[in-house]
Amino acid sequence: MNATTTTTTTTTATTYAPRPITPTALKQLRITDDAGRPCAPYVDSEGGDPLRCCLRPVAPGEHIALVSYAPLRRWATETGATPGAYDEQGPVFIHAEDCEGPAPGRGEYPFARPGALRTLRRYNAEGHIIGGRLMEIPDPATEGFDAALAEAFADPEVTLVHVRAVEYGCFHFEVRRP
């Protein structure tokens, strides 16, 4: 996916494009997740958790599901890579039914609360981890993510970066080489 150039009046545009879980993967996850478990939708009365289908927080009262997702495995299937032991899966929140995905022209990195800790894992074309970086999200967050991703993609071997929460290890979003 190419870098975004859209700006809004409230945020600075991102240099790199955060990618949600694809519609094809979501359709499959809403039946059976990547750990082989059936999807178990529920109504979230509190909200606030990060949705990986549309890259925004859950609103109270939304119908969602917590599923196991293997982002590197799905990317490898798409690209022909062979991540081997680097394949991992973990919990993500998604809408229980189809959604419209991220709002167009949003121009910001999702789930970018200043002070939160993220790890940015770097992968090569074979799907092997070739580095990573711990980042405390600064204020402004966009500039911090742009710098960390520019550092990652300065290595010509880096094809893909996964952004994960340190606290729970949850996958937040993916960025591919522009």
Side-chain angles (χ1 to χ4, degrees):
M1 196 170 220
N2 293 330
T4 62
T5 56
T6 304
T7 59
T8 67
T9 57
T10 58
T11 61
T12 304
T14 62
T15 299
Y16 299 92
R19 298 171 61 102
I21 297 175
T22 67
T24 300
L26 289 166
K27 183 176 182 177
Q28 295 164 352
L29 292 168
R30 289 179 179 123
I31 298 168
T32 305
D33 73 10
D34 286 345
R37 289 185 289 270
C39 184
Y42 65 96
V43 174
D44 186 333
S45 60
E46 295 180 25
D49 289 317
L51 289 162
R52 284 21 168 261
C53 50
C54 53
L55 301 180
R56 67 164 177 80
V58 175
E62 284 192 285
H63 200 220
I64 65 168
L66 179 60
V67 297
S68 185
Y69 177 59
L72 194 62
R73 181 183 317 160
R74 289 186 177 268
W75 171 82
T77 298
E78 178 185 318
T79 64
T82 54
Y86 295 102
D87 179 35
E88 57 186 316
Q89 62 192 33
V92 295
F93 293 96
I94 62 172
H95 276 116
E97 292 94 24
D98 288 347
C99 72
E100 295 183 16
R106 193 168 166 185
E108 60 189 26
Y109 292 102
F111 324 120
R113 179 179 42 84
L117 297 174
R118 298 290 181 261
T119 183
L120 285 76
R121 292 188 187 160
R122 303 169 186 177
Y123 297 90
N124 66 14
E126 289 80 38
H128 299 173
I129 294 176
I130 57 171
R133 182 181 196 279
L134 177 64
M135 181 176 101
E136 180 175 343
I137 300 175
D139 190 7
T142 298
E143 293 170 11
F145 270 109
D146 282 349
L149 290 164
E151 175 187 292
F153 289 119
D155 179 343
E157 287 190 59
V158 174
T159 301
L160 171 76
V161 175
H162 283 175
V163 176
R164 292 178 175 267
V166 171
E167 301 90 337
Y168 300 102
C170 299
F171 171 83
H172 275 241
F173 60 90
E174 170 182 295
V175 176
R176 294 184 184 182
R177 177 173 289 284

